[in-house]
Amino acid sequence: MLKPQATSTRELVNLDGLWSFALVTDNEKEQAWTEPLQKGLEAPVPASYNDVFLDRAIHDHVGWVRYQRQVIVPRGWSQERYFVRVEAATHQGLVFVNDTFVVEHIGGYTPFDAEITHLVKPGQAFRLTIAVNNELTNTTIPPGKIEVSANGKKKQTYLHDFYNYAGLARSVWLYSVPEQHIEDITVVTDVQGSAGIIKYTVKASDSVPSQQIKISVTDEDGKVVGQASGAQGEVKIDSVKLWQPGAAYLYQFQAQVRSADAQLTDTYSVAAGVRTIEVRGNKFLINNKPFYFTGFGKHEDTAVRGKGHDPAYMVHDFQLMDWIGANSFRTSHYPYAEEVMDFADRRGIVVIDETAAVGLNLAISSGLFGGVATPTWSHETCNDKTREANAQAIRELVARDKNHACVVLWSVSNEPSSSEEGAREYFEPLDLISDLFDVLCLNRYYGWYTQMGDLEAAEAKLEEELLGWEKKHGKPMIMTEYGADTLAGLHSLHDLPWSEEFQVRFYKMYHRVHDRIESMIGEQVWNFADFQTSIQIFRVDGNKKGIFTRDRKPKTIAYTLRKRWMGIKAQTNRVSSHSDSTTL
């Protein structure tokens, strides 16, 4: 699915702003959802609605809400087809035009759209209603459970350790395309000697002959460096400039549909970074050079906005990553806004792209709170319907992000109960790679959740396990989570847990072990910043494992990490400067 784009043949209208907003009551029939909302609450889009209002009933609401606004189709679109696109509706969305239902989407972090050309004419106004449901069950991704009390009140529980923010957290668009138009583009890059290769597939509407599709590739100066024709093929770029971590270079791959008399019908451009990715033995190679991941697990999480996309926070977060020496992050634990992926492309930041399959581990609950362990993989818990939702999430993630140069790994789930009976049967159909994964991504908390505060014992256990994985598989390993809750401003002469001094000592221990493991190819600490969670007895206003506070102030550990990661970066640059840049 191509992101809406303004070109010489396409137009788009951004529908962000204040929308009329209301909770949907349990006795309110769906037929009434499209009725005009009376003057009352207004909710910002994009934003999660939970923390915007002061009403606790809205903050804790479980079920449907509805957003509504008036929209006018531009008069100039009389010869075009036009669509409504929702970037994300957490976790289920229904779209209505006036009183007509047009589309449903399940999954809270990937976009969906619907054509409305047949429902409203250019120059006309219409009532756009988007209903959003935040409920999680054993067959959703992520999973959860809803309990109903004696008074009929719903309570949502879930196993993932971040708040279940809901609503329209990303942009909503009205956009146009020509009758004959480009529907999708796939680019795959390779390198041959000093030349770059862009292999492409262009999907156009049914009435477009392949020979009417024209391709051109331009460099960052706007110079055409390659051309081709047809719906499939490849473009060769001589003396290619590679997309490198920390040094992004993006070509513009432009597809055009031309009429039989060579008139331009439609055009769309994709930013293409030429680079190669390879796992060789226990090394991870980008452009044939070993790459060591430094960075974070992150969250889309800020005060008031919740998961609402905010370009100011995005730019500031990337500035902080650059300052600290991070070269990568994981989209824990769901696909991030597409603007974030575009920005990572332009900034040369490497991304591990993850689905929203988090919380597939019922053993965690019994381990934390006691009681009889419930099997994760069963008909009553995570079952075939859950797996299909997981598979659909993977398909939509890859369809959206397949062309991003920044994406080097796909993560199909976070912390599933992989040791339980039934785990292989669940995951094997979701993955076609070798038994089953190319890279081992490990989340470990020795010294925090186990061996609490005893870092000497924790160091021994951590090294023992990592050496075991190395001996068993010989595959590259990334420590994708490790950290300790730390209250900013809490200090201790004895380096006690929760103090800033303990957090520093904790990370130094892990890094000593990382440096002794040959197959270790990276470290992404948990977490970039403190973030909100559900109300829990061991969570005081959220998770405090951030290197930065929720409002992006550095804890002491930030300076320790900066020294380490800047040193790794300098060493990598020294090695690269001595290599032959034309040999790939």
Side-chain angles (χ1 to χ4, degrees), residues 1 84-89 93-95 103-105 110-114:
M1 178 186 292
V84 169
R85 177 180 169 109
V86 180
E87 296 289 352
L94 300 174
V95 176
V103 69
E104 176 185 26
H105 182 263
T110 45
F112 59 101
D113 60 13

Side-chain angles (χ1 to χ4, degrees), residues 238-266:
D238 293 326
S239 301
V240 69
K241 293 182 179 179
L242 299 181
W243 187 94
Q244 304 270 18
Y249 193 94
L250 294 172
Y251 293 89
Q252 290 298 316
F253 176 93
Q254 183 182 64
Q256 294 184 344
V257 174
R258 295 274 176 178
S259 64
D261 60 353
Q263 297 298 309
L264 179 64
T265 301
D266 190 25

Side-chain angles (χ1 to χ4, degrees), residues 2-23:
L2 294 177
K3 184 180 180 181
Q5 186 179 98
T7 72
S8 58
T9 60
R10 297 167 175 238
E11 294 184 41
L12 67 160
V13 176
N14 183 270
L15 301 181
D16 292 353
L18 293 177
W19 292 52
S20 297
F21 176 85
L23 303 183

Side-chain angles (χ1 to χ4, degrees), residues 309-321 343 346:
H309 175 66
D310 185 313
Y313 264 105
M314 178 186 73
V315 171
H316 188 61
D317 285 358
F318 273 75
Q319 287 281 299
L320 291 174
M321 285 192 286
F343 201 60
R346 297 196 297 272

